[in-house]
Amino acid sequence: MVWPNKDIKETEKQLEPNWFEIKHQNQIVYHSLVVHSFGEVQTHTTTANTIIRRINADHAENKVRRMVVNMTVIKDN
């Protein structure tokens, strides 16, 4: 993020991360915070097969594997 006066507060740095929900029947819901909306979250629903096809088409397997170290899994009961 860019701040004109470079005077960013600690609370302003605390952005909500993107997150995924894995639902039943191969459904994945992606939630992404829209940074410049001050709290609005975009949601998109897709399937695991669609994601895998896209990763394969982009030859992005290694990129995805490197992202795993930054992932946190939360099991919601």
Side-chain angles (χ1 to χ4, degrees), residues 14-41:
Q14 303 303 315
L15 295 177
E16 186 173 345
N18 299 333
W19 74 99
F20 297 88
E21 292 178 82
I22 301 173
K23 300 286 188 171
H24 57 84
Q25 298 181 5
N26 196 30
Q27 185 182 50
I28 299 173
V29 182
Y30 172 69
H31 304 275
S32 178
L33 177 70
V34 180
V35 174
H36 299 291
S37 70
F38 301 100
E40 183 180 336
V41 173

Short mmCIF file of all heavy atoms in Angstrom, two decimals, residues 14-41:
data_model
loop_
_atom_site.label_atom_id
_atom_site.label_comp_id
_atom_site.label_asym_id
_atom_site.label_seq_id
_atom_site.Cartn_x
_atom_site.Cartn_y
_atom_site.Cartn_z
N GLN A 14 -2.80 -3.69 9.46
CA GLN A 14 -3.44 -4.96 9.80
C GLN A 14 -4.58 -5.26 8.82
O GLN A 14 -5.73 -5.05 9.11
CB GLN A 14 -3.96 -4.93 11.24
CG GLN A 14 -2.91 -4.62 12.27
CD GLN A 14 -1.75 -5.59 12.23
OE1 GLN A 14 -1.95 -6.79 12.14
NE2 GLN A 14 -0.55 -5.08 12.28
N LEU A 15 -4.24 -5.78 7.66
CA LEU A 15 -5.24 -6.12 6.66
C LEU A 15 -5.67 -7.57 6.83
O LEU A 15 -4.86 -8.44 7.13
CB LEU A 15 -4.67 -5.94 5.26
CG LEU A 15 -4.32 -4.52 4.85
CD1 LEU A 15 -3.70 -4.51 3.47
CD2 LEU A 15 -5.55 -3.64 4.89
N GLU A 16 -6.93 -7.81 6.61
CA GLU A 16 -7.45 -9.18 6.66
C GLU A 16 -6.93 -9.93 5.43
O GLU A 16 -6.99 -9.43 4.31
CB GLU A 16 -8.97 -9.14 6.63
CG GLU A 16 -9.62 -10.48 6.82
CD GLU A 16 -11.13 -10.34 6.96
OE1 GLU A 16 -11.62 -9.24 7.18
OE2 GLU A 16 -11.78 -11.38 6.83
N PRO A 17 -6.41 -11.14 5.61
CA PRO A 17 -5.87 -11.89 4.47
C PRO A 17 -6.99 -12.49 3.61
O PRO A 17 -8.15 -12.55 4.02
CB PRO A 17 -5.07 -13.00 5.14
CG PRO A 17 -5.77 -13.20 6.45
CD PRO A 17 -6.27 -11.84 6.86
N ASN A 18 -6.63 -12.92 2.42
CA ASN A 18 -7.55 -13.68 1.59
C ASN A 18 -7.75 -15.04 2.23
O ASN A 18 -6.85 -15.56 2.89
CB ASN A 18 -6.98 -13.87 0.19
CG ASN A 18 -6.75 -12.55 -0.50
OD1 ASN A 18 -7.42 -11.57 -0.22
ND2 ASN A 18 -5.81 -12.52 -1.41
N TRP A 19 -8.93 -15.63 2.04
CA TRP A 19 -9.15 -16.94 2.61
C TRP A 19 -10.08 -17.75 1.73
O TRP A 19 -10.84 -17.21 0.93
CB TRP A 19 -9.66 -16.86 4.05
CG TRP A 19 -11.08 -16.42 4.23
CD1 TRP A 19 -12.16 -17.23 4.43
CD2 TRP A 19 -11.59 -15.09 4.23
NE1 TRP A 19 -13.30 -16.49 4.58
CE2 TRP A 19 -12.98 -15.16 4.45
CE3 TRP A 19 -11.02 -13.84 4.07
CZ2 TRP A 19 -13.80 -14.04 4.50
CZ3 TRP A 19 -11.83 -12.71 4.13
CH2 TRP A 19 -13.19 -12.84 4.35
N PHE A 20 -9.98 -19.07 1.87
CA PHE A 20 -10.78 -20.02 1.12
C PHE A 20 -11.61 -20.85 2.08
O PHE A 20 -11.17 -21.14 3.18
CB PHE A 20 -9.88 -21.00 0.35
CG PHE A 20 -9.02 -20.36 -0.68
CD1 PHE A 20 -7.77 -19.86 -0.34
CD2 PHE A 20 -9.43 -20.27 -1.98
CE1 PHE A 20 -6.96 -19.27 -1.29
CE2 PHE A 20 -8.63 -19.68 -2.94
CZ PHE A 20 -7.39 -19.18 -2.59
N GLU A 21 -12.79 -21.24 1.63
CA GLU A 21 -13.60 -22.20 2.35
C GLU A 21 -13.80 -23.40 1.42
O GLU A 21 -14.16 -23.22 0.26
CB GLU A 21 -14.98 -21.65 2.67
CG GLU A 21 -15.01 -20.53 3.66
CD GLU A 21 -16.43 -20.05 3.84
OE1 GLU A 21 -17.17 -20.68 4.62
OE2 GLU A 21 -16.79 -19.06 3.18
N ILE A 22 -13.53 -24.58 1.93
CA ILE A 22 -13.76 -25.79 1.15
C ILE A 22 -15.11 -26.34 1.59
O ILE A 22 -15.28 -26.73 2.73
CB ILE A 22 -12.63 -26.81 1.35
CG1 ILE A 22 -11.30 -26.17 0.92
CG2 ILE A 22 -12.92 -28.08 0.56
CD1 ILE A 22 -10.09 -27.01 1.22
N LYS A 23 -16.04 -26.34 0.66
CA LYS A 23 -17.41 -26.79 0.94
C LYS A 23 -17.58 -28.21 0.42
O LYS A 23 -16.70 -28.78 -0.18
CB LYS A 23 -18.42 -25.85 0.25
CG LYS A 23 -18.34 -24.41 0.69
CD LYS A 23 -18.89 -24.24 2.06
CE LYS A 23 -18.97 -22.76 2.40
NZ LYS A 23 -19.67 -22.49 3.61
N HIS A 24 -18.76 -28.74 0.63
CA HIS A 24 -19.07 -30.08 0.14
C HIS A 24 -19.19 -30.08 -1.38
O HIS A 24 -19.35 -29.04 -2.01
CB HIS A 24 -20.35 -30.59 0.78
CG HIS A 24 -21.53 -29.69 0.54
ND1 HIS A 24 -22.29 -29.72 -0.59
CD2 HIS A 24 -22.04 -28.69 1.30
CE1 HIS A 24 -23.23 -28.81 -0.53
NE2 HIS A 24 -23.10 -28.16 0.62
N GLN A 25 -19.11 -31.23 -1.98
CA GLN A 25 -19.29 -31.44 -3.41
C GLN A 25 -18.31 -30.63 -4.26
O GLN A 25 -18.69 -30.00 -5.25
CB GLN A 25 -20.73 -31.16 -3.83
CG GLN A 25 -21.72 -32.09 -3.17
CD GLN A 25 -23.15 -31.81 -3.63
OE1 GLN A 25 -23.39 -31.00 -4.50
NE2 GLN A 25 -24.09 -32.52 -3.03
N ASN A 26 -17.04 -30.61 -3.87
CA ASN A 26 -15.99 -30.04 -4.71
C ASN A 26 -16.14 -28.53 -4.90
O ASN A 26 -15.72 -27.97 -5.89
CB ASN A 26 -15.98 -30.76 -6.07
CG ASN A 26 -14.71 -30.52 -6.84
OD1 ASN A 26 -13.65 -30.32 -6.27
ND2 ASN A 26 -14.80 -30.54 -8.15
N GLN A 27 -16.76 -27.82 -3.96
CA GLN A 27 -16.99 -26.39 -4.09
C GLN A 27 -16.01 -25.63 -3.20
O GLN A 27 -15.83 -25.96 -2.03
CB GLN A 27 -18.42 -26.07 -3.69
CG GLN A 27 -18.80 -24.63 -3.90
CD GLN A 27 -20.22 -24.36 -3.45
OE1 GLN A 27 -20.59 -24.73 -2.34
NE2 GLN A 27 -21.01 -23.73 -4.29
N ILE A 28 -15.39 -24.61 -3.76
CA ILE A 28 -14.44 -23.78 -3.02
C ILE A 28 -14.89 -22.33 -3.12
O ILE A 28 -15.17 -21.83 -4.21
CB ILE A 28 -13.01 -23.94 -3.57
CG1 ILE A 28 -12.57 -25.39 -3.43
CG2 ILE A 28 -12.06 -22.98 -2.86
CD1 ILE A 28 -11.27 -25.70 -4.08
N VAL A 29 -14.98 -21.66 -1.98
CA VAL A 29 -15.38 -20.25 -1.94
C VAL A 29 -14.14 -19.44 -1.58
O VAL A 29 -13.49 -19.69 -0.57
CB VAL A 29 -16.51 -20.01 -0.91
CG1 VAL A 29 -16.94 -18.56 -0.93
CG2 VAL A 29 -17.68 -20.94 -1.19
N TYR A 30 -13.82 -18.46 -2.41
CA TYR A 30 -12.67 -17.59 -2.23
C TYR A 30 -13.16 -16.22 -1.77
O TYR A 30 -14.04 -15.63 -2.38
CB TYR A 30 -11.90 -17.48 -3.55
CG TYR A 30 -10.79 -16.46 -3.54
CD1 TYR A 30 -9.65 -16.68 -2.78
CD2 TYR A 30 -10.86 -15.30 -4.30
CE1 TYR A 30 -8.61 -15.76 -2.78
CE2 TYR A 30 -9.84 -14.38 -4.30
CZ TYR A 30 -8.71 -14.62 -3.54
OH TYR A 30 -7.70 -13.71 -3.53
N HIS A 31 -12.58 -15.72 -0.67
CA HIS A 31 -12.92 -14.41 -0.13
C HIS A 31 -11.66 -13.53 -0.20
O HIS A 31 -10.59 -13.96 0.24
CB HIS A 31 -13.36 -14.51 1.33
CG HIS A 31 -14.50 -15.44 1.54
ND1 HIS A 31 -15.81 -15.05 1.40
CD2 HIS A 31 -14.53 -16.74 1.89
CE1 HIS A 31 -16.60 -16.08 1.66
NE2 HIS A 31 -15.86 -17.11 1.96
N SER A 32 -11.82 -12.34 -0.72
CA SER A 32 -10.67 -11.44 -0.84
C SER A 32 -11.07 -10.04 -0.39
O SER A 32 -12.05 -9.48 -0.88
CB SER A 32 -10.20 -11.40 -2.30
OG SER A 32 -9.14 -10.49 -2.43
N LEU A 33 -10.31 -9.51 0.53
CA LEU A 33 -10.54 -8.14 0.99
C LEU A 33 -10.15 -7.17 -0.12
O LEU A 33 -9.07 -7.28 -0.70
CB LEU A 33 -9.71 -7.85 2.23
CG LEU A 33 -9.80 -6.44 2.78
CD1 LEU A 33 -11.18 -6.22 3.38
CD2 LEU A 33 -8.73 -6.20 3.82
N VAL A 34 -11.02 -6.24 -0.44
CA VAL A 34 -10.72 -5.21 -1.44
C VAL A 34 -10.05 -4.07 -0.68
O VAL A 34 -10.71 -3.37 0.10
CB VAL A 34 -12.00 -4.74 -2.15
CG1 VAL A 34 -11.66 -3.68 -3.18
CG2 VAL A 34 -12.71 -5.91 -2.79
N VAL A 35 -8.77 -3.90 -0.87
CA VAL A 35 -7.97 -2.99 -0.05
C VAL A 35 -8.52 -1.57 -0.05
O VAL A 35 -8.66 -0.95 0.99
CB VAL A 35 -6.50 -3.00 -0.51
CG1 VAL A 35 -5.69 -1.94 0.24
CG2 VAL A 35 -5.90 -4.37 -0.31
N HIS A 36 -8.88 -1.04 -1.19
CA HIS A 36 -9.29 0.36 -1.26
C HIS A 36 -10.76 0.58 -0.96
O HIS A 36 -11.26 1.68 -1.10
CB HIS A 36 -8.93 0.94 -2.62
CG HIS A 36 -7.46 0.90 -2.87
ND1 HIS A 36 -6.57 1.69 -2.18
CD2 HIS A 36 -6.71 0.12 -3.69
CE1 HIS A 36 -5.34 1.43 -2.58
NE2 HIS A 36 -5.40 0.48 -3.49
N SER A 37 -11.46 -0.46 -0.53
CA SER A 37 -12.88 -0.31 -0.22
C SER A 37 -13.11 -0.12 1.28
O SER A 37 -14.23 0.08 1.71
CB SER A 37 -13.66 -1.53 -0.68
OG SER A 37 -13.34 -2.63 0.15
N PHE A 38 -12.05 -0.24 2.08
CA PHE A 38 -12.14 -0.10 3.52
C PHE A 38 -13.09 -1.11 4.14
O PHE A 38 -13.98 -0.77 4.91
CB PHE A 38 -12.51 1.33 3.91
CG PHE A 38 -11.52 2.33 3.40
CD1 PHE A 38 -11.79 3.06 2.26
CD2 PHE A 38 -10.29 2.48 4.03
CE1 PHE A 38 -10.86 3.95 1.77
CE2 PHE A 38 -9.36 3.37 3.54
CZ PHE A 38 -9.65 4.12 2.41
N GLY A 39 -12.92 -2.36 3.78
CA GLY A 39 -13.65 -3.42 4.45
C GLY A 39 -14.52 -4.30 3.59
O GLY A 39 -14.96 -5.34 4.03
N GLU A 40 -14.79 -3.92 2.37
CA GLU A 40 -15.63 -4.75 1.51
C GLU A 40 -14.88 -6.01 1.10
O GLU A 40 -13.70 -5.97 0.78
CB GLU A 40 -16.03 -3.97 0.25
CG GLU A 40 -16.96 -4.73 -0.65
CD GLU A 40 -17.34 -3.92 -1.89
OE1 GLU A 40 -17.28 -2.69 -1.84
OE2 GLU A 40 -17.68 -4.55 -2.89
N VAL A 41 -15.56 -7.14 1.12
CA VAL A 41 -14.94 -8.41 0.75
C VAL A 41 -15.61 -8.93 -0.51
O VAL A 41 -16.83 -8.96 -0.61
CB VAL A 41 -15.07 -9.45 1.88
CG1 VAL A 41 -14.58 -10.82 1.44
CG2 VAL A 41 -14.32 -8.98 3.12
#
